[in-house]
Amino acid sequence: MHRKLVFMFVAITFVFSLASFGFSETNGNSRKGKHLFRNSCRECHQEDATAKPLSPDSKTQAQWERVFKPDNYNKLDCKDEWAKHSEQDLADIFTYLHKHAFDSPSPAKCK
């Protein structure tokens, strides 16, 4: 009887720990977002380029949230570039920028 209770407790704990990983996962992948940002956005958003230089720490987390609202980024000059990306790509880029924003726990240290 005691063994069954211990086994049930361990099994339930395992199930809940797996479930918590699913709930803690964000919508985007920061590493993929960094790659996408550098390959598609940095071309224009750097010194001596066509658009204002941007890096993750150029804005606060709240400012990045405002930029990535669909009704806001549809007004940007580069809206055609945004349209080339899937929703998942945009979520990945947002996650990277938001995670390393100026006021985040781990702001970007280099450009």
Side-chain angles (χ1 to χ4, degrees):
M1 175 77 171
H2 188 264
R3 272 189 157 168
K4 285 184 180 181
L5 287 175
V6 170
F7 178 75
M8 291 285 283
F9 177 74
V10 170
I12 290 171
T13 304
F14 180 70
V15 167
F16 279 114
S17 66
L18 286 178
S20 69
F21 281 120
F23 290 118
S24 68
E25 184 66 30
T26 61
N27 290 335
N29 180 318
S30 180
R31 292 185 69 168
K32 287 176 69 175
K34 181 178 183 178
H35 174 76
L36 290 166
F37 178 78
R38 288 190 173 178
N39 286 339
S40 58
C41 303
R42 291 292 288 174
E43 182 178 322
C44 297
H45 290 287
Q46 61 183 339
E47 293 293 328
D48 302 324
T50 59
K52 176 183 171 186
L54 279 179
S55 67
D57 66 345
S58 297
K59 298 184 181 297
T60 63
Q61 289 179 321
Q63 289 171 321
W64 282 123
E65 289 169 12
R66 283 193 297 274
V67 168
F68 275 80
K69 286 185 178 180
D71 55 327
N72 288 343
Y73 68 72
N74 287 329
K75 298 173 187 173
L76 297 174
D77 291 337
C78 55
K79 66 183 174 195
D80 295 333
E81 292 299 318
W82 286 63
K84 294 177 184 178
H85 294 288
S86 68
E87 288 297 319
Q88 185 59 52
D89 287 347
L90 294 175
D92 293 340
I93 294 170
F94 169 75
T95 300
Y96 165 64
L97 296 171
H98 190 266
K99 183 177 179 180
H100 299 290
F102 179 76
D103 62 343
S104 72
S106 58
K109 299 282 191 246
C110 58
K111 304 291 179 190

